[in-house]
Amino acid sequence: MSPNTIPLLPLLPFAALLSACSPGNAAAPSSSSTGSSSSQGTTGSTMGDAASDAGDPDFPVALASGPAPTPPMGWNSWNAFGCGVDESTIEGVAQTLVATGMADAGYQYVNIDDCWSFYPQTTPAAQCTPSTCRTDAGALQANPSTFPDGIAAVATDVHNLGLKLGIYGDRGTNTCAGREGSQGYETQDSQSFASWGVDYLKYDNCSADAGIIEQQYQTMSMALQATSRPIVFSICAWNFYEWELGTGQLWRTTSDIQPNWTSVLSNVMTNEVLAAYGGPNGWNDPDMLEVGNLESADSALGDIEDQSHFSLWAISDAPLIAGNDPMLMTPTTQSILTNSEVIAINQDALGLQGVTVSGDASVWAKPLNQSGARAVVLLNTSDTSAANITFQLPEIGLAGGSATVRDLVSHADLGSFQDSYTYNAIPAHGSATLKVVGAEPPRPSGTTYLSDLQWTYASNGLANHLVQKDANWSGQPITMSGTPYAKGLGVYGPSLVIYRLAPGCSSFKATVGLDDSAGAGGSVVFQVWADGQKLYDSGPVVGPSAPVQSVQVSLNNNKRLRLLVTNDNDGSTLDRADWANAQVVCP
Ligand code: GLA
């Protein structure tokens, strides 16, 4: 990726101090409790919600400024209503969000998806053209039979409820359902949206020229910014592209979600390998929620799957855009969607996307904005049997020793444990959603290889492969340009590895390059960040003949060191990258 296209990583300028991460008050008890817990230690201590940051100057970080400092939350019409959406549905849903507590829980955007705009009543359905579907002045217009009062009136009603209105458009000539697209009309359409009071635009990718995708999304992004209205830009291009960083506040990383477990799992896993790119004002989006819609939603299994789906989206820092019909939801669906303790892990100001830490999909972890705090989701992917799932504290980025565990679904403190924790009897497709509070890993002292230290966070760009210590991406010896290195980190781009530093740490050094196992492939960029500042950028490192590079940068009382490897804008194939001999020099 180009050195200038990644300014929106976490820990950039902050507007307001966030009070210590507090999961909030318990919501109504969930009826989808997933099992019982057991321990290797003693139980009985109460974790409580109070922050324990006293004496740790690394916490809390302040909430980022900008239009989407935490993942956007709201509701969208598509999954439940498709092209059957109309004005009374939108207004009914908005009222229901308020009445059910969803608005108070954070769901603020009410998003109208495809099929809101004018469409000729023809059989078979026609594709719009500007002359058949726009006004004489070339403006988009609402379908008078389904939105008789127009979008501005709907926006007023939604705003009067304390909520915000989202709408849908498309970069091509037509939307995916054949309505008018915005190609060539970006300025006029963005002005229409702003004048109607729209607060959020989901912008789709149908009927469009693949060769101008970046240009068209950037044209609309700039057109929105040129209106005087803040409008969140949700890019729906079904794949991640590095130019999306800084172009939108969220971007779809997957194909369309479907209301079944296979689709839920597939989307969250596709989204997971892009974790290095997610953060405040730029969120990976594995698509809207199907909580309440899953095919088995009437059964106990449906409720179990709904809870796992919601917990996985929460820990993945996914936008929480509900896709059910809130006017008809069951108490269980309502309880899952409004669980303030689970929502709190999603809305945490640190903005680090949770990732798998177990080499499979069973253990997910995410650092929280409180010293020693991690969110954990334990997922049983088995289709048939219950499972006991264990994690070690170092796996989730904590020091070994003692930690407390709280169950965020049953709202119960589970006690204090040593080194590891096991949650028993998690049913097939079920999960446990936990907050664990222990100790941050020790700070470095002296001159130390990073691979001898414990990281606080490590994401990697290949499913089921973890960042390796003193080995390349697959556990083999690190080797670059024929030279073996005994020490270092082997990653697969995109990757982000974070270490805490000590006061007075003066420099970071490493030898970086593509691992010889990348053969003729691989294309990455190495970046070193300290807090919000970029200290080093390798530029594109492209196999097979790229020379290794020596990195040496000064540190200046920084709190966190971030080692980022991007996939250089070309997908992650063979992006096997090494931070050989990576060291920090500290007092
Ligand atoms: C695409 C999008 C969906 C939805 C439909 C509407 O498939 O990915 O999320 O917006 O279009 O037609």
Side-chain angles (χ1 to χ4, degrees):
M1 89 179 304
S2 118
N4 297 323
T5 55
I6 191 155
L8 291 174
L9 282 174
L11 304 181
L12 288 179
F14 303 122
L17 272 182
L18 180 90
S19 58
C21 170
S22 164
N25 298 321
S30 165
S31 59
S32 59
S33 171
T34 53
S36 60
S37 60
S38 77
S39 77
Q40 291 71 40
T42 53
T43 61
S45 81
T46 299
M47 186 180 83
D49 290 345
S52 56
D53 295 337
D56 188 338
D58 294 358
F59 295 94
V61 304
L63 186 67
S65 57
T70 60
M73 291 180 66
W75 173 89
N76 174 291
S77 59
W78 184 252
N79 287 352
F81 296 96
C83 279
V85 65
D86 60 20
E87 187 175 310
S88 64
T89 302
I90 296 299
E91 301 204 341
V93 166
Q95 287 158 11
T96 306
L97 294 184
V98 173
T100 56
M102 284 184 68
D104 282 345
Y107 297 87
Q108 60 169 331
Y109 293 103
V110 180
N111 295 348
I112 312 171
D113 207 279
D114 204 351
C115 304
W116 62 269
S117 64
F118 182 81
Y119 197 52
Q121 307 296 307
T122 57
T123 309
Q127 291 269 314
C128 274
T129 64
S131 61
T132 56
C133 289
R134 288 179 178 268
T135 66
D136 291 345
L140 286 176
Q141 53 183 331
N143 186 332
S145 59
T146 50
F147 287 85
D149 295 320
I151 302 300
V154 176
T156 300
D157 291 345
V158 167
H159 292 158
N160 285 342
L161 289 165
L163 299 169
K164 295 182 172 175
L165 187 76
I167 207 161
Y168 165 98
D170 190 289
R171 75 174 177 96
T173 53
N174 292 88
T175 73
C176 298
R179 275 58 174 176
E180 254 306 88
S182 289
Q183 179 172 305
Y185 290 84
E186 291 87 352
T187 300
Q188 185 169 9
D189 292 353
S190 60
Q191 286 168 356
S192 294
F193 299 147
S195 72
W196 296 337
V198 164
D199 306 292
Y200 181 116
L201 174 65
K202 172 178 169 182
Y203 204 49
D204 216 336
N205 191 29
C206 275
S207 305
D209 177 351
I212 53 173
I213 183 170
E214 174 178 357
Q215 178 195 324
Q216 287 192 318
Y217 276 104
Q218 281 177 352
T219 300
M220 184 48 103
S221 175
M222 287 185 293
L224 291 172
Q225 286 170 46
T227 72
S228 54
R229 193 172 177 83
I231 299 177
V232 167
F233 191 37
S234 164
I235 296 175
C236 181
W238 318 319
N239 262 310
F240 175 74
Y241 304 91
E242 281 186 3
W243 52 258
E244 293 170 336
L245 295 160
T247 304
Q249 284 77 54
L250 60 158
W251 42 78
R252 270 276 291 282
T253 57
T254 66
S255 54
D256 287 15
I257 197 167
Q258 304 298 323
N260 62 67
W261 178 247
T262 305
S263 172
V264 164
L265 202 54
S266 162
N267 277 24
V268 81
M269 296 306 294
T270 302
N271 189 69
E272 190 249 348
V273 296
L274 294 162
Y277 291 122
N281 296 307
W283 304 101
N284 289 314
D285 174 12
D287 207 356
M288 304 168 296
L289 294 163
E290 293 280 15
V291 173
N293 300 340
L294 291 178
E295 268 164 9
S296 35
D298 292 340
S299 68
L301 178 61
D303 289 343
I304 287 169
E305 291 173 342
D306 274 346
Q307 179 62 63
S308 297
H309 172 18
F310 191 65
S311 292
L312 288 168
W313 260 238
I315 200 166
S316 301
D317 284 4
L320 297 180
I321 308 293
N324 62 324
D325 179 352
M327 297 178 287
L328 296 177
M329 69 183 159
T330 65
T332 301
T333 298
Q334 181 176 349
S335 165
I336 291 170
L337 287 172
T338 57
N339 183 331
S340 60
E341 293 195 75
V342 177
I343 290 170
I345 68 178
N346 177 265
Q347 296 290 302
D348 184 86
L350 212 50
L352 284 170
Q353 180 175 329
V355 290
T356 56
V357 296
S358 46
D360 59 20
S362 63
V363 184
W364 297 67
K366 166 182 158 64
L368 298 175
N369 191 17
Q370 174 187 337
S371 185
R374 303 289 184 272
V376 173
V377 171
L378 304 176
L379 179 70
N380 180 5
T381 55
S382 166
D383 294 330
T384 50
S385 5
N388 304 338
I389 301 181
T390 298
F391 63 89
Q392 312 292 323
L393 294 181
E395 278 183 301
I396 63 167
L398 293 179
S402 170
T404 58
V405 179
R406 179 170 171 82
D407 188 325
L408 304 182
V409 172
S410 66
H411 309 295
D413 290 337
L414 303 180
S416 186
F417 303 87
Q418 288 295 316
D419 297 329
S420 70
Y421 183 77
T422 300
Y423 202 104
N424 283 341
I426 300 176
H429 299 185
S431 56
T433 309
L434 308 173
K435 181 177 176 184
V436 181
V437 181
E440 293 292 332
R443 298 174 188 278
S445 67
T447 298
T448 314
Y449 286 112
L450 289 184
S451 51
D452 293 335
L453 287 170
Q454 200 189 327
W455 56 60
T456 59
Y457 177 83
S459 72
N460 219 19
L462 190 62
N464 296 340
H465 282 76
L466 305 177
V467 169
Q468 301 286 311
K469 295 180 176 181
D470 301 334
N472 76 2
W473 68 285
S474 71
Q476 301 302 308
I478 289 173
T479 312
M480 294 186 291
S481 300
T483 303
Y485 296 81
K487 303 296 294 180
L489 301 175
V491 308
Y492 205 108
S495 165
L496 175 63
V497 188
I498 302 179
Y499 289 87
R500 69 190 323 223
L501 295 169
C505 289
S506 57
S507 68
F508 165 80
K509 48 192 176 183
T511 303
V512 301
L514 285 166
D515 193 85
D516 284 355
S517 65
S523 167
V524 298
V525 174
F526 293 83
Q527 294 179 352
V528 180
W529 293 71
D531 302 336
Q533 211 188 352
K534 187 165 69 173
L535 303 180
Y536 172 79
D537 191 303
S538 67
V541 175
V542 183
S545 53
V548 298
Q549 298 190 28
S550 290
V551 183
Q552 173 137 18
V553 294
S554 296
L555 300 171
N556 182 19
N557 271 326
N558 300 110
K559 293 177 173 173
R560 295 173 178 89
L561 178 70
R562 295 163 171 262
L563 305 181
L564 179 68
V565 173
T566 79
N567 63 17
D568 191 28
N569 214 6
D570 63 352
S572 65
T573 310
L574 294 171
D575 284 350
R576 302 162 179 184
D578 297 326
W579 298 93
N581 288 339
Q583 285 180 304
V584 281
V585 179
C586 298

